Amino acid sequence: QVQLVESGGGLVQTGGSLRLSCAASGFTLNFKAIGWFRQAPGKEREGVSAISTSDGRQYYTDSVKGRFTISRDNAKNTVYLQMNSLKPEDTAVYYCAAAFLIVTSRFLVADEYDYWGQGTQVTVSS
């Protein structure tokens, strides 16, 4: 049984920071990628960042490059998303997800992921 649990969301002012955590349990050794996605009201789910578990390569959508950093702690089976310089347009429910099989060009594609967490709300006030 695979389980992903997000935490760390909250309310922050524009320019502030938050760190999201995604704790994984179950068959975590078989994951090839862990990704962060977000969904704002009335919008489609968007790939924000992902990390390859084989080589640590990181992927970011253009709108968060230079502001967000994804990292992992293998000993804790946890992936983090450090979010700095937050903007109101970053407001969304953030989900982490895990994939067993994935190709390089699709790390930010939600359909490639097999397991999902319940989500954590991030609200950035202007």
Side-chain angles (χ1 to χ4, degrees):
Q1 184 78 18
V2 173
Q3 189 173 20
L4 302 173
V5 179
E6 304 99 333
S7 61
L11 173 64
V12 65
Q13 292 184 335
T14 296
S17 298
L18 285 173
R19 188 178 79 158
L20 305 183
S21 299
C22 174
S25 61
F27 297 101
T28 59
L29 292 179
N30 295 326
F31 290 157
K32 298 303 182 186
I34 303 291
W36 284 99
F37 295 80
R38 66 187 179 187
Q39 188 165 20
K43 294 187 177 182
E44 293 187 355
R45 190 166 295 190
E46 173 191 24
V48 176
S49 180
I51 188 166
S52 168
T53 59
S54 60
D55 60 11
R57 185 173 178 179
Q58 302 165 16
Y59 301 82
Y60 299 95
T61 192
D62 287 345
S63 63
V64 307
K65 286 179 180 177
R67 300 189 298 123
F68 291 10
T69 302
I70 192 170
S71 62
R72 58 180 176 162
D73 184 332
N74 291 335
K76 295 182 179 179
N77 283 335
T78 300
V79 172
Y80 304 97
L81 185 67
Q82 177 67 45
M83 305 187 296
N84 299 329
S85 302
L86 283 162
K87 304 175 181 180
E89 51 264 43
D90 294 318
T91 295
V93 177
Y94 283 70
Y95 301 88
C96 72
F100 287 117
L101 293 173
I102 200 161
V103 297
T104 301
S105 62
R106 296 181 66 81
F107 268 79
L108 296 181
V109 177
D111 288 346
E112 297 298 307
Y113 287 77
D114 304 292
Y115 292 94
W116 292 81
Q118 82 288 349
T120 185
Q121 176 71 46
V122 171
T123 302
V124 184
S125 63
S126 57

